[in-house]
Amino acid sequence: MLVDNKGQTSAEFILLFGGIIVVVLLAVYMYKNYMSDLSGEISSEEVREFNVELRNIGNYFK
């Protein structure tokens, strides 16, 4: 009877850690998709305009 309790406890820990790993992997996958979608929303024209404005501000302080 004592051996069965140890085996059950070990199996529960394995299932618990397996579930945690699955949740973490899903979160990483969703975050990766979110970041790739976010990068597509910024056009190169917006980035160019932003860089020009930064240079203008930098020239103002020289």
Side-chain angles (χ1 to χ4, degrees):
M1 185 128 187
L2 184 61
V3 175
D4 290 338
N5 288 338
K6 287 182 181 180
Q8 181 179 356
T9 303
S10 297
E12 288 174 359
F13 276 124
I14 290 170
L15 289 173
L16 178 67
F17 288 127
I20 290 171
I21 289 172
V22 168
V23 169
V24 167
L25 290 175
L26 285 173
V28 167
Y29 178 74
M30 291 170 56
Y31 181 73
K32 183 185 122 199
N33 286 340
Y34 171 74
M35 292 305 290
S36 66
D37 289 344
L38 186 63
S39 66
E41 292 181 11
I42 300 174
S43 69
S44 61
E45 180 66 24
E46 291 173 331
V47 172
R48 189 188 65 75
E49 289 176 9
F50 181 73
N51 286 334
V52 168
E53 290 299 322
L54 281 179
R55 281 189 213 109
N56 290 340
I57 292 172
N59 290 334
Y60 178 75
F61 288 106
K62 283 186 180 180

